[in-house]
Each structure stands twice: as structure tokens, then as C-alpha cells.
Amino acid sequence: MKFGHDMHRVVRVSDAEWAPYFMQYKLLKKCIKQIKADPSSPPVAECCERGDCEKATMAKSAPEVAFFRALRFELQKSAQFFRQAELVLEVRRERVREALRQLQDEDRLGLLEDAPDRALRACVTYYRDLLLLENYAIMNYCGFSKILKKHDKQTGFTTRTQFMRVCVAPQPFTRYPRLMEMIREAEDLYRDIAAASDRIRGTRSVDPPPLSPSSSSQQLSTLGGVGAAETDALDAILNLREAASRIREGEEDPDAAAAAAAPAAAAPCPAFAGPAADLERLHKTTSPPPKRART
């Protein structure tokens, strides 16, 4: 299955407000087609055989400059959205915690009759959006890796390794320990809310299914107040999570992973500086070395 189709499936099950913030994979593919069609951008191998690689550098090709400018914009957009979405989910975590605190309060003054069901629904919805943000991170990381692979295959340059290590690896959607911590905590909150709900009702119902990435929509449909639309959405998200994780494993670059895990700040991304001159600098560190001219 093509990556673009996988990306579309993830966008479709995500919040509609998120759609503009996924990396524009199709747009970047069109930019690559323009590079290939540009007569001023001959294949790198041919240029090197003539000994004039400098004349074919990416900075001297308008479509190359346009591609990396678009790539840089998509990277900044994705990183900024991920940071903001993570902050919003932290606020929602506090709300779910407050719902649990009210359920555990011995007095429970002013507590509505359906408060337990509402708290369970809030927790499941919060958990769903955590998984969606994880899928967002995985698919955007893979999108940058795959589009650079396609670029290098079409142009003959070797930019992917350098760009992924220097530019993509330090971004918040590459490694996200805070998000993974919230996912694990949401599973604990769900169990605590279910237990508090049983105490309020004065009954001990059958243990609810665990809220985890291995949950199925059929299991979650047993929760009070969780509708069919929510369980269907969770089912799609959980299936896509597994598929996205497999794609990520195939795109993982050991050097990029090491750069992302390093405590020290990574070097500034050359392609972030903006001017075409920086593309020249990126080219010098990534393109094949020129052959010596015959004398």
C-alpha cells in the first residue's frame, strides 16, 4: 500500500482541525516532479563525469530551492503543531484528573447522577486523542523520510541521511517521552475512574476491559456512555497505530535516532536558515564528491 494512502487514512480519522497541519506529502511529490522536468537540473552523475558538479548544485536549481523551502516550511509547521497539541492534551489531563478526584471525594456534593459515565467517556476520548497525536508524530516522521528518499532517487543527490539527522531528529515529533507518559497515565486514570464509579453505584460490576493500545472497539463498547461512533473511531485508530509503527520501523535511521536521543542540542539545521546559499551548504555536505577533471 502506498504511503500517501496510509497518510490519508490517518488524516481521515483524526480531528478535522488537524488536517492542515499534517505534512503535505502530495505537494512535495509535485515539487520533485518539477525538479525532474527542469532542463537546468541534469542528473548528478552526468555532471560529475564532465567535472562540473558545482554547476549542478541544488542551490543553482530553482526547483531544488523550491522543494527544500517547502520541506522546511512543512517541518516547522509539523513541529509547532505537535508542541501545541501536546500542551492542550496536558490541560485535558488535568480535567480528567479533576473528574477522578470528584468521584473519589467522600462527600461528592453536587455530583450528577451520570458523573461516572461522563468521567469514563472523557477519559476514553482523551486517550483517543493521545493515540491520534502519536499517529500524527509517526506519520509525519515517516513522511519526511520517504519524501527525501524519493527526492534522492529522482535527482541522484544523497540528502536524506543528513537532513533526517540534522533537521528532523531534533524535532519534538521524533521522540516524545512526555506523550508516551500521558498515554500510560491515561490507562491508569481509566482503571481508577472505573473503580470509583463502582463504589458510587455500590456495586461491583465485571472488571472493565483494560484501556490500552491492544483494546478493541468491542471491548470498549461495554463501557457505560461510550457510543458506537467513539468505539468505531478507536478501532480505526488502534489499527492504524499498528500499521504506522511498522512503517516507522522501516524508516528508522540509527544515526538520526542517536541524534534525537542525545542530551546535547543538535547543530542548527542548514535548511532552516532560508536563503538559497544555505542549500549550497547543505549540498556540500550531502551530495556525491566530484570526480577530478581529466587533464
Side-chain angles (χ1 to χ4, degrees):
M1 186 179 295
K2 292 185 177 181
F3 177 77
H5 182 68
D6 290 328
M7 174 73 84
H8 179 69
R9 290 171 61 206
V10 173
V11 173
R12 193 171 54 202
V13 301
S14 300
D15 192 316
E17 294 180 356
W18 292 18
Y21 299 98
F22 281 86
M23 63 101 63
Q24 299 299 307
Y25 188 74
K26 284 188 175 181
L27 173 65
L28 293 170
K29 282 177 64 177
K30 289 181 179 178
C31 291
I32 293 174
K33 289 180 180 179
Q34 292 174 358
I35 295 172
K36 189 177 180 181
D38 182 22
S40 66
S41 302
V44 174
E46 294 180 9
C47 298
C48 290
E49 288 176 1
R50 297 197 306 267
D52 58 354
C53 273
E54 290 301 318
K55 295 181 181 178
T57 56
M58 292 182 288
K60 295 179 180 178
S61 167
E64 282 282 3
V65 173
F67 170 76
F68 276 97
R69 183 178 293 128
L71 190 69
R72 181 172 64 251
F73 175 81
E74 293 300 320
L75 185 59
Q76 291 175 318
K77 178 188 72 175
S78 300
Q80 183 178 15
F81 173 79
F82 183 87
R83 282 191 292 265
Q84 293 174 343
E86 204 172 43
L87 290 174
V88 170
L89 287 169
E90 286 183 346
V91 173
R92 291 176 58 187
R93 174 175 61 180
E94 293 306 315
R95 294 170 181 168
V96 175
R97 285 175 173 174
E98 175 60 20
L100 172 61
R101 187 195 65 78
Q102 292 184 14
L103 292 178
Q104 292 175 331
D105 189 354
E106 292 297 331
D107 295 332
R108 291 193 288 274
L109 296 176
L111 199 65
L112 298 175
E113 291 184 3
D114 62 346
D117 287 345
R118 288 177 177 271
L120 281 172
R121 286 202 304 273
C123 188
V124 171
T125 303
Y126 164 63
Y127 184 72
R128 178 200 66 190
D129 290 343
L130 288 171
L131 294 181
L132 282 173
L133 188 59
E134 184 190 13
N135 281 353
Y136 172 91
I138 293 172
M139 296 306 289
N140 276 272
Y141 175 91
C142 294
F144 288 108
S145 177
K146 285 186 174 293
I147 202 65
L148 285 164
K149 276 185 179 179
K150 191 176 290 291
H151 167 271
D152 292 354
K153 182 178 179 181
Q154 295 291 338
T155 64
F157 289 112
T158 53
T159 64
R160 175 183 170 273
T161 300
Q162 177 79 354
F163 194 93
M164 292 298 293
R165 181 174 66 248
V166 178
C167 300
V168 178
Q171 301 309 317
F173 60 81
T174 298
R175 291 289 183 276
Y176 31 88
R178 185 164 57 178
L179 176 62
M180 297 307 297
E181 178 188 352
M182 286 193 286
I183 290 175
R184 289 189 292 269
E185 184 184 358
E187 296 164 3
D188 295 335
L189 285 170
Y190 167 80
R191 287 191 293 269
D192 293 341
I193 290 172
S197 298
D198 282 341
R199 285 195 296 271
I200 291 174
R201 297 186 181 101
T203 60
R204 179 59 181 170
S205 59
V206 178
D207 290 340
L211 189 62
S212 71
S214 62
S215 302
S216 68
S217 61
Q218 290 181 344
Q219 288 178 314
L220 294 173
S221 64
T222 62
L223 296 174
V226 180
E230 291 170 307
T231 56
D232 288 345
L234 273 171
D235 196 29
I237 293 165
L238 292 167
N239 289 335
L240 285 173
R241 185 181 194 263
E242 183 178 355
S245 298
R246 287 197 299 268
I247 296 172
R248 171 66 186 258
E249 290 175 4
E251 295 299 317
E252 191 70 67
D253 177 44
D255 292 336
C269 173
F272 263 18
D278 289 301
L279 286 175
E280 179 96 21
R281 183 153 54 95
L282 178 65
H283 167 78
K284 288 179 179 179
T285 60
T286 58
S287 59
K291 293 182 179 179
R292 292 185 178 180
R294 295 180 180 177
T295 56

